[in-house]
Amino acid sequence: RKEVEQDPGPFNVPEGATVAFNCTYSNSASQSFFWYRQDCRKEPKLLMSVYSSGNEDGRFTAQLNRASQYISLLIRDSKLSDSATYLCVVNWGTGGTSYGKLTFGQGTILTVHP
Amino acid sequence: NAGVTQTPKFRILKIGQSMTLQCTQDMNHNYMYWYRQDPGMGLKLIYYSVGAGITDKGEVPNGYNVSRSTTEDFPLRLELAAPSQTSVYFCASTDPRGGRGQPQHFGDGTRLSIL
């Protein structure tokens, strides 16, 4: 089983649609959770951290279910500029030299069309 | 503000050649990382460093070496290039003092082809 597994996609949605991405992780000791965005042939950039209580940033909502080891990202009112690959990222480091060792999912490609 | 700078951006190597991928950051981050990303895949950690003089292996270290003589620089060395090392290489850094929620800042990447 992969340490971090995402919906394979790709997702093709019209502008204005709501789209949800799912992610599961295998290490129950995981400490921190993130969604990164990666544009074509570019570097990954942090989209948002994911907190246990769930969190929202504009049109983006992230949820975490520690019991099920499941993370989600919801994008409302999709824009053309949302087209990118979305990477689910987990940090299971408990401190010391393991801190900051991120494990990336394979990414889910989103294409928003007019 | 330059952030994380990688050089070169593109390189083609012949099998058996060696090269060093350069990475430098100007944010005074102690933690630095090297990843590779194969087509359609997520990033895999090659090596990382928590400070000058300290390095450790990540998930896929075979065929690579690193050094960290200064806080700013974290070069990645390929000694005997193999076709399996064709990939996009990303360097990243972070400041652990801000807690676990701190993002990793990535360079633009180096696209390496081994022929």
Side-chain angles (χ1 to χ4, degrees):
Chain A
R1 180 182 176 186
K2 293 180 183 178
E3 290 189 53
V4 179
E5 196 151 6
Q6 298 183 236
D7 285 343
F11 287 69
N12 291 287
V13 302
E15 276 186 289
T18 295
V19 60
F21 301 141
N22 300 317
C23 173
T24 57
Y25 58 95
S26 61
N27 190 334
S28 60
S30 297
Q31 299 289 323
S32 306
F33 310 89
F34 311 90
W35 284 100
Y36 275 70
R37 170 192 168 129
Q38 186 174 25
D39 293 311
C40 186
R41 300 179 70 80
K42 297 286 189 180
E43 75 277 17
K45 292 184 179 178
L46 179 67
L47 177 65
M48 58 195 304
S49 300
V50 186
Y51 303 118
S52 297
S53 56
N55 49 298
E56 188 174 304
D57 183 2
R59 297 181 293 107
F60 299 84
T61 301
Q63 297 281 348
L64 168 64
N65 184 324
R66 285 187 181 270
S68 302
Q69 296 177 205
Y70 169 89
I71 307 161
S72 66
L73 176 68
L74 183 76
I75 305 175
R76 292 182 300 278
D77 188 22
S78 299
K79 311 292 185 189
L80 295 177
S81 57
D82 293 334
S83 297
T85 297
Y86 290 82
L87 300 166
C88 177
V89 184
V90 173
N91 175 1
W92 56 268
T94 56
T97 57
S98 65
Y99 177 88
K101 288 176 65 176
L102 302 181
T103 301
F104 287 76
Q106 77 271 30
T108 301
I109 298 172
L110 171 66
T111 301
V112 182
H113 57 82
Chain B
N1 189 358
V4 179
T5 302
Q6 291 184 236
T7 56
K9 295 193 183 304
F10 305 94
R11 184 72 184 271
I12 298 175
L13 284 181
K14 294 182 179 179
I15 295 171
Q17 285 186 319
S18 61
M19 77 164 293
T20 299
L21 281 67
Q22 301 291 345
C23 175
T24 187
Q25 51 91 10
D26 62 0
M27 297 173 283
N28 200 33
H29 288 171
N30 282 329
Y31 285 49
M32 296 187 73
Y33 311 84
W34 273 107
Y35 297 91
R36 60 175 288 172
Q37 185 176 32
D38 298 327
M41 304 295 289
L43 281 69
K44 293 188 183 297
L45 183 64
I46 305 171
Y47 270 95
Y48 66 103
S49 169
V50 300
I54 307 170
T55 63
D56 206 349
K57 296 178 180 178
E59 183 183 356
V60 289
N62 291 343
Y64 307 95
N65 278 301
V66 293
S67 60
R68 185 91 182 274
S69 56
T70 66
T71 299
E72 294 77 21
D73 300 308
F74 190 39
L76 178 71
R77 179 84 177 161
L78 282 72
E79 292 293 352
L80 290 170
S84 61
Q85 294 177 305
T86 294
S87 191
V88 180
Y89 292 82
F90 288 104
C91 179
S93 73
T94 193
D95 182 356
R97 294 169 296 177
R100 294 186 183 283
Q102 291 303 300
Q104 291 194 2
H105 300 268
F106 286 81
D108 293 341
T110 295
R111 284 164 178 75
L112 181 62
S113 295
I114 315 294
L115 304 176

